[in-house]
Amino acid sequence: MEKVMGLASEKGVVIFSKSSCCMCYAVKILFQGIGVDPLVYEIDQDPEGREMERALMRMGCTAPVPAVFIGGKLIGSTNEIMSLHLSGTLIQMLKPYQALS
Amino acid sequence: MNSPSTQFVSSGRMGMYDPIHQIGMWGENFKSNGISNASTSMFIAGNPNSSQPILIAADTKLDNQSEDTSHGTLGPSSKYDQEASKPIDKVKRRLAQNREAARKSRLRKKAYVQQLESSRLKLFQLEQELERARHQGLYIGGVETSHMGFAGPINSGIATFEMEYGHWLEEQNKNICDLRTALNAHISDFELRILVDTGINHYSELFRMKATAAKADVFYLMSGMWKSSAERFFLWIGGFRPSELLKVLKPQLEPLTDQQLLDVCNLKQSCQQAEDALSQGMEKLQQTLAETVAAGRLGEASHMPQMDTAMEKLEGLVRFVQQADHLRQITLQQMSIILTTRQAARGLLALGEYFQRLRALSTLWVTRPREPA
Protein backbone atom coordinates (compact mmCIF):
# COMPACT_ATOMS: atom_id res chain seq x y z
CA MET A 1 0.00 0.00 0.00
CA GLU A 2 1.51 3.27 -1.12
CA LYS A 3 0.28 5.30 1.83
CA VAL A 4 2.00 2.96 4.28
CA MET A 5 5.23 2.82 2.26
CA GLY A 6 5.15 6.58 1.75
CA LEU A 7 4.80 7.25 5.46
CA ALA A 8 7.42 4.61 6.25
CA SER A 9 9.99 6.55 4.25
CA GLU A 10 9.16 9.91 5.76
CA LYS A 11 11.56 9.49 8.61
CA GLY A 12 14.41 7.17 9.58
CA VAL A 13 12.36 5.46 12.26
CA VAL A 14 8.60 5.12 11.75
CA ILE A 15 6.19 3.32 14.10
CA PHE A 16 2.63 2.58 12.99
CA SER A 17 0.50 2.60 16.11
CA LYS A 18 -3.02 2.87 17.51
CA SER A 19 -3.81 5.48 20.14
CA SER A 20 -5.51 2.82 22.33
CA CYS A 21 -2.58 0.36 22.10
CA CYS A 22 -0.41 0.38 25.20
CA MET A 23 2.17 -1.96 23.67
CA CYS A 24 2.72 0.65 20.93
CA TYR A 25 3.28 3.19 23.68
CA ALA A 26 5.85 0.87 25.32
CA VAL A 27 7.78 0.47 22.05
CA LYS A 28 7.76 4.24 21.55
CA ILE A 29 9.20 4.67 25.07
CA LEU A 30 11.90 2.13 24.24
CA PHE A 31 13.04 4.04 21.17
CA GLN A 32 13.04 7.31 23.06
CA GLY A 33 15.13 5.65 25.76
CA ILE A 34 17.69 4.66 23.11
CA GLY A 35 17.88 8.30 22.00
CA VAL A 36 15.80 8.08 18.85
CA ASP A 37 12.77 10.21 18.03
CA PRO A 38 10.52 8.05 15.87
CA LEU A 39 7.60 9.22 13.76
CA VAL A 40 4.55 7.67 15.41
CA TYR A 41 1.54 7.36 13.09
CA GLU A 42 -1.79 6.51 14.75
CA ILE A 43 -3.65 4.52 12.11
CA ASP A 44 -6.88 4.47 14.15
CA GLN A 45 -7.07 8.22 13.64
CA ASP A 46 -6.75 7.87 9.88
CA PRO A 47 -9.88 7.36 7.74
CA GLU A 48 -7.96 4.73 5.75
CA GLY A 49 -6.85 3.05 8.96
CA ARG A 50 -8.52 -0.31 8.26
CA GLU A 51 -6.82 -0.59 4.88
CA MET A 52 -3.48 0.37 6.37
CA GLU A 53 -3.96 -2.31 9.01
CA ARG A 54 -4.63 -4.92 6.34
CA ALA A 55 -1.60 -3.75 4.35
CA LEU A 56 0.65 -4.12 7.40
CA MET A 57 -0.64 -7.62 8.01
CA ARG A 58 -0.07 -8.56 4.38
CA MET A 59 3.51 -7.37 4.76
CA GLY A 60 3.98 -9.87 7.56
CA CYS A 61 3.18 -7.82 10.66
CA THR A 62 0.61 -10.05 12.35
CA ALA A 63 0.06 -7.83 15.42
CA PRO A 64 -0.55 -5.53 13.30
CA VAL A 65 0.61 -2.72 15.59
CA PRO A 66 3.16 -1.63 16.55
CA ALA A 67 4.80 -1.94 13.13
CA VAL A 68 8.36 -0.61 13.13
CA PHE A 69 10.10 0.60 9.96
CA ILE A 70 13.79 1.54 9.97
CA GLY A 71 15.17 3.22 6.86
CA GLY A 72 11.87 2.52 5.07
CA LYS A 73 12.10 -1.24 5.71
CA LEU A 74 9.66 -3.21 7.88
CA ILE A 75 11.58 -4.64 10.84
CA GLY A 76 8.65 -6.20 12.69
CA SER A 77 6.56 -5.86 15.81
CA THR A 78 7.34 -5.97 19.54
CA ASN A 79 8.86 -9.48 19.52
CA GLU A 80 11.35 -8.66 16.77
CA ILE A 81 12.29 -5.29 18.28
CA MET A 82 12.90 -6.81 21.72
CA SER A 83 15.02 -9.66 20.30
CA LEU A 84 17.07 -7.27 18.17
CA HIS A 85 17.58 -4.91 21.08
CA LEU A 86 18.82 -7.55 23.51
CA SER A 87 21.21 -9.00 20.93
CA GLY A 88 22.71 -5.53 20.43
CA THR A 89 21.62 -5.44 16.79
CA LEU A 90 18.95 -2.74 17.13
CA ILE A 91 21.42 -0.15 18.40
CA GLN A 92 23.60 -0.78 15.33
CA MET A 93 20.62 -0.35 13.00
CA LEU A 94 19.64 2.89 14.71
CA LYS A 95 23.10 4.48 14.69
CA PRO A 96 22.46 6.62 11.59
CA TYR A 97 19.25 7.93 13.14
CA GLN A 98 20.31 8.56 16.70
CA ALA A 99 21.34 12.12 15.95
CA LEU A 100 17.66 12.92 15.31
CA SER A 101 16.70 13.15 19.04
CA MET B 1 -26.52 -34.82 57.31
CA ASN B 2 -29.92 -36.49 57.77
CA SER B 3 -30.31 -40.13 56.86
CA PRO B 4 -31.58 -41.16 53.43
CA SER B 5 -34.71 -42.79 54.78
CA THR B 6 -36.25 -39.50 55.82
CA GLN B 7 -36.21 -38.31 52.22
CA PHE B 8 -38.22 -41.15 50.78
CA VAL B 9 -40.42 -42.68 53.43
CA SER B 10 -43.27 -40.34 52.50
CA SER B 11 -43.41 -41.56 48.93
CA GLY B 12 -45.28 -44.56 50.17
CA ARG B 13 -43.13 -47.21 48.60
CA MET B 14 -44.44 -50.62 49.41
CA GLY B 15 -41.36 -52.52 48.47
CA MET B 16 -41.85 -52.87 44.72
CA TYR B 17 -38.37 -51.54 44.41
CA ASP B 18 -36.44 -49.87 47.15
CA PRO B 19 -34.79 -46.56 46.24
CA ILE B 20 -33.27 -46.24 49.68
CA HIS B 21 -31.59 -49.59 49.33
CA GLN B 22 -30.26 -48.78 45.88
CA ILE B 23 -28.80 -45.42 46.94
CA GLY B 24 -27.36 -47.08 49.99
CA MET B 25 -25.61 -49.57 47.72
CA TRP B 26 -23.95 -46.86 45.69
CA GLY B 27 -23.24 -44.88 48.82
CA GLU B 28 -21.32 -47.88 50.17
CA ASN B 29 -19.29 -48.17 46.98
CA PHE B 30 -18.56 -44.46 47.09
CA LYS B 31 -17.31 -44.62 50.68
CA SER B 32 -15.23 -47.69 50.07
CA ASN B 33 -13.32 -45.85 47.34
CA GLY B 34 -12.02 -43.55 50.02
CA ILE B 35 -13.66 -40.43 48.73
CA SER B 36 -14.87 -38.05 51.44
CA ASN B 37 -18.18 -38.53 53.17
CA ALA B 38 -19.10 -34.98 52.37
CA SER B 39 -19.70 -35.97 48.77
CA THR B 40 -21.82 -38.92 49.78
CA SER B 41 -24.13 -36.81 51.90
CA MET B 42 -24.17 -34.20 49.16
CA PHE B 43 -25.67 -36.76 46.89
CA ILE B 44 -28.16 -38.29 49.27
CA ALA B 45 -29.21 -35.20 51.16
CA GLY B 46 -29.84 -33.29 48.02
CA ASN B 47 -27.31 -30.94 46.51
CA PRO B 48 -29.38 -28.44 44.53
CA ASN B 49 -27.61 -29.51 41.34
CA SER B 50 -28.10 -33.19 41.91
CA SER B 51 -30.47 -36.01 41.34
CA GLN B 52 -32.89 -35.27 44.15
CA PRO B 53 -35.47 -33.66 41.87
CA ILE B 54 -35.12 -36.55 39.48
CA LEU B 55 -35.73 -39.07 42.22
CA ILE B 56 -38.77 -37.38 43.62
CA ALA B 57 -40.24 -36.76 40.23
CA ALA B 58 -39.60 -40.34 39.30
CA ASP B 59 -41.27 -41.59 42.44
CA THR B 60 -44.31 -39.49 41.80
CA LYS B 61 -44.50 -40.71 38.26
CA LEU B 62 -44.35 -44.29 39.33
CA ASP B 63 -47.13 -43.68 41.80
CA ASN B 64 -49.32 -42.42 38.98
CA GLN B 65 -48.36 -45.24 36.75
CA SER B 66 -49.12 -47.92 39.28
CA GLU B 67 -52.43 -46.29 39.91
CA ASP B 68 -53.12 -46.26 36.18
CA THR B 69 -52.20 -49.87 35.71
CA SER B 70 -54.33 -50.87 38.65
CA HIS B 71 -57.21 -48.94 37.12
CA GLY B 72 -56.46 -50.63 33.86
CA THR B 73 -57.05 -54.01 35.35
CA LEU B 74 -60.54 -53.08 36.38
CA GLY B 75 -63.14 -53.16 33.76
CA PRO B 76 -63.26 -56.32 31.72
CA SER B 77 -66.92 -57.40 31.63
CA SER B 78 -67.35 -61.13 31.98
CA LYS B 79 -66.14 -63.16 34.89
CA TYR B 80 -64.29 -65.54 32.58
CA ASP B 81 -62.42 -62.71 30.84
CA GLN B 82 -61.53 -61.16 34.14
CA GLU B 83 -59.92 -64.37 35.39
CA ALA B 84 -58.03 -65.23 32.16
CA SER B 85 -56.68 -61.72 31.56
CA LYS B 86 -55.70 -61.28 35.17
CA PRO B 87 -52.37 -63.18 35.06
CA ILE B 88 -51.45 -61.64 31.63
CA ASP B 89 -52.20 -58.16 32.92
CA LYS B 90 -50.24 -58.92 36.02
CA VAL B 91 -47.30 -59.96 33.87
CA LYS B 92 -47.65 -56.88 31.66
CA ARG B 93 -47.81 -54.68 34.71
CA ARG B 94 -44.79 -56.32 36.21
CA LEU B 95 -42.84 -55.87 32.95
CA ALA B 96 -43.82 -52.21 32.76
CA GLN B 97 -42.77 -51.66 36.32
CA ASN B 98 -39.48 -53.40 35.67
CA ARG B 99 -38.84 -51.21 32.67
CA GLU B 100 -39.70 -48.15 34.70
CA ALA B 101 -37.43 -49.27 37.51
CA ALA B 102 -34.59 -49.88 35.08
CA ARG B 103 -35.08 -46.48 33.49
CA LYS B 104 -35.03 -44.75 36.83
CA SER B 105 -32.04 -46.75 37.86
CA ARG B 106 -30.19 -45.53 34.78
CA LEU B 107 -31.17 -41.92 35.50
CA ARG B 108 -29.97 -42.18 39.06
CA LYS B 109 -26.73 -43.75 37.96
CA LYS B 110 -26.15 -40.91 35.49
CA ALA B 111 -26.77 -38.28 38.15
CA TYR B 112 -24.50 -40.17 40.53
CA VAL B 113 -21.68 -40.30 38.00
CA GLN B 114 -22.01 -36.56 37.38
CA GLN B 115 -21.75 -35.99 41.11
CA LEU B 116 -18.65 -38.17 41.21
CA GLU B 117 -17.02 -36.24 38.37
CA SER B 118 -17.52 -32.85 39.95
CA SER B 119 -16.41 -34.16 43.33
CA ARG B 120 -13.27 -35.55 41.72
CA LEU B 121 -12.45 -32.18 40.24
CA LYS B 122 -13.09 -30.46 43.57
CA LEU B 123 -10.89 -33.00 45.31
CA PHE B 124 -8.09 -32.40 42.85
CA GLN B 125 -8.32 -28.66 43.40
CA LEU B 126 -8.27 -29.17 47.16
CA GLU B 127 -5.15 -31.31 46.82
CA GLN B 128 -3.50 -28.60 44.73
CA GLU B 129 -4.43 -25.99 47.32
CA LEU B 130 -3.01 -28.16 50.09
CA GLU B 131 0.19 -28.80 48.19
CA ARG B 132 0.72 -25.12 47.57
CA ALA B 133 -0.11 -24.24 51.13
CA ARG B 134 2.42 -26.82 52.28
CA HIS B 135 5.09 -25.23 50.09
CA GLN B 136 4.35 -21.73 51.22
CA GLY B 137 2.97 -22.09 54.68
CA LEU B 138 -0.72 -21.92 55.47
CA TYR B 139 -2.73 -18.74 55.44
CA ILE B 140 -5.49 -19.19 57.93
CA GLY B 141 -8.65 -17.26 57.25
CA GLY B 142 -6.81 -15.13 54.72
CA VAL B 143 -7.06 -14.51 51.04
CA GLU B 144 -5.67 -17.96 50.15
CA THR B 145 -8.72 -20.00 51.07
CA SER B 146 -11.19 -17.67 49.49
CA HIS B 147 -9.36 -17.56 46.15
CA MET B 148 -9.15 -21.20 45.22
CA GLY B 149 -12.04 -23.23 43.88
CA PHE B 150 -14.75 -22.54 46.40
CA ALA B 151 -15.69 -19.05 45.34
CA GLY B 152 -15.81 -18.83 41.55
CA PRO B 153 -16.42 -21.31 38.75
CA ILE B 154 -13.83 -24.00 38.04
CA ASN B 155 -11.17 -22.74 35.58
CA SER B 156 -9.78 -25.87 34.01
CA GLY B 157 -7.01 -23.94 32.21
CA ILE B 158 -5.61 -22.78 35.53
CA ALA B 159 -6.14 -26.15 37.23
CA THR B 160 -4.16 -27.70 34.37
CA PHE B 161 -1.43 -25.10 34.71
CA GLU B 162 -1.06 -25.68 38.45
CA MET B 163 -0.81 -29.42 37.95
CA GLU B 164 1.77 -28.98 35.18
CA TYR B 165 3.72 -26.50 37.28
CA GLY B 166 3.99 -29.09 40.05
CA HIS B 167 5.60 -31.47 37.55
CA TRP B 168 7.75 -28.66 36.16
CA LEU B 169 9.14 -27.96 39.65
CA GLU B 170 9.99 -31.62 40.20
CA GLU B 171 11.82 -31.71 36.87
CA GLN B 172 13.54 -28.41 37.68
CA ASN B 173 14.86 -29.72 40.99
CA LYS B 174 16.17 -32.75 39.18
CA ASN B 175 17.93 -30.54 36.58
CA ILE B 176 19.54 -28.49 39.34
CA CYS B 177 20.81 -31.65 41.02
CA ASP B 178 22.26 -32.88 37.73
CA LEU B 179 24.05 -29.56 37.16
CA ARG B 180 25.50 -29.60 40.66
CA THR B 181 26.76 -33.15 40.27
CA ALA B 182 28.15 -32.48 36.78
CA LEU B 183 30.07 -29.35 37.79
CA ASN B 184 31.62 -31.14 40.74
CA ALA B 185 32.49 -34.17 38.67
CA HIS B 186 34.34 -32.18 35.95
CA ILE B 187 32.59 -33.81 33.00
CA SER B 188 33.31 -32.90 29.37
CA ASP B 189 32.08 -29.68 27.83
CA PHE B 190 30.03 -31.68 25.36
CA GLU B 191 28.07 -33.43 28.11
CA LEU B 192 27.78 -30.17 30.04
CA ARG B 193 26.33 -28.49 26.96
CA ILE B 194 23.54 -31.06 26.92
CA LEU B 195 22.68 -30.20 30.53
CA VAL B 196 22.75 -26.47 29.74
CA ASP B 197 20.44 -26.89 26.76
CA THR B 198 18.12 -29.06 28.87
CA GLY B 199 18.03 -26.35 31.51
CA ILE B 200 17.24 -23.55 29.09
CA ASN B 201 14.64 -25.62 27.25
CA HIS B 202 12.99 -26.34 30.58
CA TYR B 203 12.48 -22.61 31.13
CA SER B 204 11.11 -22.34 27.60
CA GLU B 205 8.62 -25.04 28.53
CA LEU B 206 7.48 -22.95 31.49
CA PHE B 207 6.95 -19.92 29.26
CA ARG B 208 4.87 -22.04 26.89
CA MET B 209 2.70 -23.21 29.79
CA LYS B 210 2.30 -19.63 30.98
CA ALA B 211 1.28 -18.44 27.51
CA THR B 212 -1.60 -20.93 27.53
CA ALA B 213 -2.56 -20.03 31.10
CA ALA B 214 -2.53 -16.30 30.21
CA LYS B 215 -5.37 -16.92 27.79
CA ALA B 216 -7.29 -18.86 30.47
CA ASP B 217 -6.89 -16.23 33.20
CA VAL B 218 -4.38 -13.42 32.82
CA PHE B 219 -5.18 -12.05 36.30
CA TYR B 220 -4.02 -15.33 37.81
CA LEU B 221 -0.65 -14.92 36.12
CA MET B 222 -0.41 -11.27 37.07
CA SER B 223 -0.85 -12.15 40.73
CA GLY B 224 1.77 -14.93 40.61
CA MET B 225 -0.44 -17.28 42.61
CA TRP B 226 1.50 -20.42 41.64
CA LYS B 227 4.70 -19.06 43.17
CA SER B 228 5.88 -19.14 46.77
CA SER B 229 5.34 -15.93 48.72
CA ALA B 230 8.96 -14.77 48.64
CA GLU B 231 9.09 -15.31 44.86
CA ARG B 232 5.85 -13.37 44.56
CA PHE B 233 7.44 -10.46 46.43
CA PHE B 234 9.72 -9.90 43.44
CA LEU B 235 6.94 -10.28 40.88
CA TRP B 236 7.13 -8.20 37.74
CA ILE B 237 4.41 -8.69 35.10
CA GLY B 238 3.75 -12.31 36.01
CA GLY B 239 7.32 -13.50 36.67
CA PHE B 240 10.87 -12.62 37.65
CA ARG B 241 12.62 -9.45 36.46
CA PRO B 242 15.13 -10.26 33.69
CA SER B 243 17.52 -7.59 35.00
CA GLU B 244 17.40 -9.25 38.46
CA LEU B 245 18.39 -12.48 36.74
CA LEU B 246 21.54 -10.85 35.42
CA LYS B 247 22.40 -9.38 38.83
CA VAL B 248 22.03 -12.82 40.44
CA LEU B 249 24.14 -14.55 37.80
CA LYS B 250 27.05 -12.14 37.34
CA PRO B 251 29.06 -12.88 40.53
CA GLN B 252 28.88 -16.62 39.80
CA LEU B 253 30.31 -16.32 36.31
CA GLU B 254 33.67 -14.70 36.99
CA PRO B 255 36.24 -14.65 35.60
CA LEU B 256 34.88 -13.07 32.41
CA THR B 257 36.95 -11.95 29.42
CA ASP B 258 36.91 -8.26 28.49
CA GLN B 259 34.64 -8.99 25.54
CA GLN B 260 32.29 -10.93 27.78
CA LEU B 261 32.25 -8.13 30.34
CA LEU B 262 31.31 -5.67 27.61
CA ASP B 263 28.61 -7.97 26.22
CA VAL B 264 27.11 -8.60 29.66
CA CYS B 265 27.15 -4.89 30.37
CA ASN B 266 25.36 -4.12 27.10
CA LEU B 267 22.86 -6.89 27.73
CA LYS B 268 22.17 -5.51 31.20
CA GLN B 269 21.53 -2.05 29.79
CA SER B 270 19.27 -3.13 26.92
CA CYS B 271 17.40 -5.49 29.25
CA GLN B 272 16.80 -2.64 31.69
CA GLN B 273 15.58 -0.37 28.88
CA ALA B 274 13.17 -3.05 27.65
CA GLU B 275 11.88 -3.60 31.18
CA ASP B 276 11.33 0.13 31.69
CA ALA B 277 9.45 0.38 28.41
CA LEU B 278 7.15 -2.50 29.33
CA SER B 279 6.65 -1.11 32.84
CA GLN B 280 5.57 2.25 31.47
CA GLY B 281 3.28 0.55 28.99
CA MET B 282 1.69 -1.37 31.88
CA GLU B 283 1.22 1.84 33.86
CA LYS B 284 -0.56 3.38 30.89
CA LEU B 285 -2.76 0.31 30.60
CA GLN B 286 -3.71 0.48 34.29
CA GLN B 287 -4.39 4.18 34.01
CA THR B 288 -6.64 3.91 30.96
CA LEU B 289 -8.48 0.90 32.41
CA ALA B 290 -9.15 2.84 35.61
CA GLU B 291 -10.37 5.82 33.58
CA THR B 292 -12.61 3.56 31.51
CA VAL B 293 -14.14 1.93 34.60
CA ALA B 294 -14.53 5.29 36.36
CA ALA B 295 -16.23 6.96 33.40
CA GLY B 296 -19.96 7.15 33.00
CA ARG B 297 -22.67 8.96 34.92
CA LEU B 298 -23.12 8.82 38.65
CA GLY B 299 -25.70 6.25 39.75
CA GLU B 300 -25.26 3.96 36.74
CA ALA B 301 -24.01 1.17 39.03
CA SER B 302 -22.34 -1.61 37.04
CA HIS B 303 -24.02 -0.84 33.76
CA MET B 304 -21.00 0.25 31.82
CA PRO B 305 -21.41 1.42 28.24
CA GLN B 306 -17.62 1.34 28.00
CA MET B 307 -17.39 -2.39 28.81
CA ASP B 308 -16.04 -3.12 25.33
CA THR B 309 -13.18 -0.69 25.84
CA ALA B 310 -12.38 -2.22 29.21
CA MET B 311 -12.38 -5.71 27.70
CA GLU B 312 -10.00 -4.55 24.96
CA LYS B 313 -7.64 -3.27 27.60
CA LEU B 314 -7.66 -6.65 29.30
CA GLU B 315 -6.75 -8.31 25.99
CA GLY B 316 -3.82 -5.91 25.94
CA LEU B 317 -2.81 -7.22 29.35
CA VAL B 318 -2.43 -10.74 27.94
CA ARG B 319 -0.02 -9.29 25.40
CA PHE B 320 2.08 -7.65 28.10
CA VAL B 321 2.39 -10.85 30.12
CA GLN B 322 3.47 -12.72 26.99
CA GLN B 323 5.98 -10.02 26.06
CA ALA B 324 7.43 -10.07 29.60
CA ASP B 325 7.94 -13.84 29.30
CA HIS B 326 9.50 -13.30 25.87
CA LEU B 327 11.93 -10.85 27.45
CA ARG B 328 12.83 -13.45 30.12
CA GLN B 329 13.41 -16.03 27.44
CA ILE B 330 15.65 -13.91 25.21
CA THR B 331 17.65 -12.74 28.24
CA LEU B 332 18.40 -16.39 29.07
CA GLN B 333 19.26 -17.11 25.45
CA GLN B 334 21.59 -14.13 25.15
CA MET B 335 23.41 -15.16 28.32
CA SER B 336 23.95 -18.65 26.96
CA ILE B 337 25.39 -17.09 23.77
CA ILE B 338 27.78 -14.77 25.62
CA LEU B 339 29.02 -17.38 28.11
CA THR B 340 31.14 -20.49 27.72
CA THR B 341 29.42 -23.82 28.35
CA ARG B 342 30.91 -24.14 31.81
CA GLN B 343 29.95 -20.57 32.71
CA ALA B 344 26.43 -21.12 31.42
CA ALA B 345 26.13 -24.27 33.53
CA ARG B 346 27.26 -22.36 36.62
CA GLY B 347 24.83 -19.59 35.74
CA LEU B 348 21.88 -21.95 35.42
CA LEU B 349 22.80 -23.64 38.68
CA ALA B 350 23.05 -20.25 40.41
CA LEU B 351 19.67 -19.20 39.04
CA GLY B 352 18.01 -22.48 39.99
CA GLU B 353 19.42 -22.40 43.51
CA TYR B 354 18.38 -18.77 43.91
CA PHE B 355 14.72 -19.63 43.34
CA GLN B 356 15.01 -22.76 45.46
CA ARG B 357 16.26 -20.60 48.32
CA LEU B 358 13.42 -18.11 47.84
CA ARG B 359 10.96 -20.99 48.10
CA ALA B 360 12.69 -22.32 51.23
CA LEU B 361 12.66 -18.80 52.69
CA SER B 362 8.90 -18.61 52.16
CA THR B 363 8.37 -21.77 54.17
CA LEU B 364 10.82 -20.71 56.87
CA TRP B 365 9.15 -17.36 57.24
CA VAL B 366 5.66 -18.72 57.66
CA THR B 367 6.70 -21.44 60.09
CA ARG B 368 8.96 -19.22 62.20
CA PRO B 369 8.30 -19.31 65.96
CA ARG B 370 6.33 -16.28 66.98
CA GLU B 371 5.52 -14.63 70.31
CA PRO B 372 1.88 -15.21 71.24
CA ALA B 373 -0.12 -12.00 70.74
Side-chain angles (χ1 to χ4, degrees):
Chain A
M1 188 194 175
E2 290 112 38
K3 182 159 188 175
V4 168
M5 295 318 289
L7 284 161
S9 312
E10 244 179 67
K11 212 173 173 189
V13 184
V14 177
I15 305 175
F16 289 95
S17 158
K18 281 188 191 170
S19 51
S20 59
C21 173
C22 292
M23 191 56 83
C24 299
Y25 178 76
V27 169
K28 186 183 78 175
I29 295 288
L30 179 65
F31 277 98
Q32 286 172 351
I34 304 174
V36 173
D37 182 32
L39 169 69
V40 179
Y41 197 82
E42 313 281 5
I43 65 172
D44 59 332
Q45 290 168 354
D46 187 305
E48 291 180 270
R50 276 286 153 88
E51 217 193 302
M52 294 173 80
E53 193 175 319
R54 279 195 296 271
L56 287 168
M57 290 180 82
R58 274 197 304 273
M59 292 171 75
C61 209
T62 45
V65 288
V68 178
F69 286 75
I70 300 178
K73 232 180 59 174
L74 175 64
I75 304 302
S77 192
T78 324
N79 267 7
E80 288 75 35
I81 293 300
M82 291 295 180
S83 296
L84 287 169
H85 189 43
L86 258 67
S87 66
T89 318
L90 188 67
I91 284 268
Q92 299 303 316
M93 293 167 92
L94 290 173
K95 271 218 153 68
Y97 311 106
Q98 256 175 326
L100 298 172
S101 49
Chain B
M1 284 290 165
N2 37 17
S3 78
S5 54
T6 57
Q7 306 289 346
F8 299 106
V9 82
S10 56
S11 72
R13 297 284 89 237
M14 291 303 168
M16 230 176 296
Y17 74 101
D18 189 345
I20 300 163
H21 175 63
Q22 298 225 356
I23 292 166
M25 258 165 54
W26 286 336
E28 296 322 320
N29 287 337
F30 202 15
K31 274 184 202 157
S32 69
N33 287 339
I35 303 173
S36 76
N37 286 329
S39 305
T40 315
S41 15
M42 234 165 42
F43 172 74
I44 292 174
N47 182 304
N49 300 325
S50 84
S51 56
Q52 180 84 340
I54 298 172
L55 285 166
I56 291 183
D59 284 344
T60 324
K61 243 179 111 190
L62 185 58
D63 275 332
N64 294 335
Q65 189 170 44
S66 60
E67 278 170 334
D68 286 340
T69 46
S70 54
H71 281 301
T73 54
L74 300 169
S77 44
S78 75
K79 191 171 185 269
Y80 176 77
D81 280 346
Q82 198 167 14
E83 279 175 348
S85 62
K86 234 193 201 159
I88 298 172
D89 279 328
K90 242 193 191 148
V91 168
K92 275 196 191 157
R93 182 169 31 151
R94 182 111 318 164
L95 287 173
Q97 282 164 356
N98 283 349
R99 274 197 301 276
E100 194 52 42
R103 191 182 74 86
K104 257 167 269 179
S105 183
R106 281 192 298 274
L107 281 173
R108 275 201 306 277
K109 185 179 176 186
K110 189 174 173 204
Y112 179 76
V113 169
Q114 279 168 355
Q115 280 289 333
L116 270 181
E117 289 296 317
S118 75
S119 299
R120 241 182 86 228
L121 193 51
K122 271 220 165 90
L123 177 68
F124 170 71
Q125 285 190 317
L126 279 170
E127 281 177 328
Q128 286 293 303
E129 166 86 280
L130 198 60
E131 198 46 49
R132 260 192 321 109
R134 236 184 262 129
H135 277 300
Q136 308 166 22
L138 222 40
Y139 283 62
I140 302 169
V143 182
E144 281 285 288
T145 43
S146 64
H147 129 81
M148 230 333 240
F150 301 111
I154 297 163
N155 189 328
S156 63
I158 297 303
T160 307
F161 174 76
E162 295 204 324
M163 183 184 70
E164 287 177 350
Y165 182 68
H167 298 148
W168 187 89
L169 260 184
E170 280 170 27
E171 191 69 31
Q172 175 72 352
N173 288 333
K174 187 182 151 295
N175 288 351
I176 293 170
C177 262
D178 290 344
L179 277 167
R180 205 180 284 130
T181 312
L183 283 166
N184 284 333
H186 306 292
I187 67 171
S188 74
D189 263 19
F190 179 76
E191 286 166 312
L192 207 53
R193 187 79 235 167
I194 295 174
L195 284 178
V196 168
D197 289 342
T198 305
I200 295 194
N201 289 339
H202 198 54
Y203 280 108
S204 302
E205 183 57 37
L206 178 63
F207 299 138
R208 267 196 294 279
M209 284 160 50
K210 285 172 76 183
T212 312
K215 292 184 198 121
D217 183 358
V218 70
F219 287 125
Y220 176 87
L221 281 189
M222 281 298 296
S223 58
M225 289 316 297
W226 73 97
K227 289 174 173 277
S228 66
S229 41
E231 285 175 291
R232 225 179 294 144
F233 178 62
F234 293 100
L235 201 69
W236 176 78
I237 313 187
F240 60 84
R241 266 184 195 276
S243 56
E244 271 305 306
L245 186 167
L246 295 173
K247 279 184 209 147
V248 163
L249 292 190
K250 191 146 176 285
Q252 306 296 333
L253 308 172
E254 269 125 40
L256 294 167
T257 67
D258 286 343
Q259 183 61 46
Q260 283 181 322
L261 272 168
L262 185 63
D263 289 340
V264 170
C265 198
N266 288 337
L267 180 62
K268 225 176 176 188
Q269 187 181 34
S270 50
C271 189
Q272 191 65 59
Q273 285 167 336
E275 257 179 55
D276 290 343
L278 287 181
S279 293
Q280 290 194 51
M282 273 294 287
E283 267 177 45
K284 182 148 196 282
L285 197 154
Q286 275 188 320
Q287 188 189 323
T288 48
L289 181 63
E291 282 168 10
T292 305
V293 173
R297 291 202 303 267
L298 205 64
E300 264 177 343
S302 45
H303 162 68
M304 264 173 57
Q306 54 273 47
M307 270 299 193
D308 287 338
T309 317
M311 290 294 276
E312 263 174 49
K313 287 275 154 272
L314 294 182
E315 292 292 334
L317 187 58
V318 177
R319 220 176 153 189
F320 269 93
V321 173
Q322 289 175 336
Q323 194 55 232
D325 274 347
H326 179 240
L327 193 60
R328 290 170 190 119
Q329 175 138 32
I330 56 184
T331 305
L332 279 169
Q333 283 169 354
Q334 275 303 123
M335 280 303 274
S336 91
I337 289 171
I338 294 170
L339 301 172
T340 65
T341 306
R342 190 150 292 267
Q343 285 169 329
R346 288 216 303 273
L348 275 175
L349 180 60
L351 190 65
E353 288 186 330
Y354 177 71
F355 289 119
Q356 274 182 336
R357 285 192 211 126
L358 279 180
R359 289 192 278 272
L361 187 63
S362 306
T363 314
L364 257 174
W365 177 251
V366 176
T367 56
R368 75 192 185 283
R370 269 167 285 187
E371 292 289 310

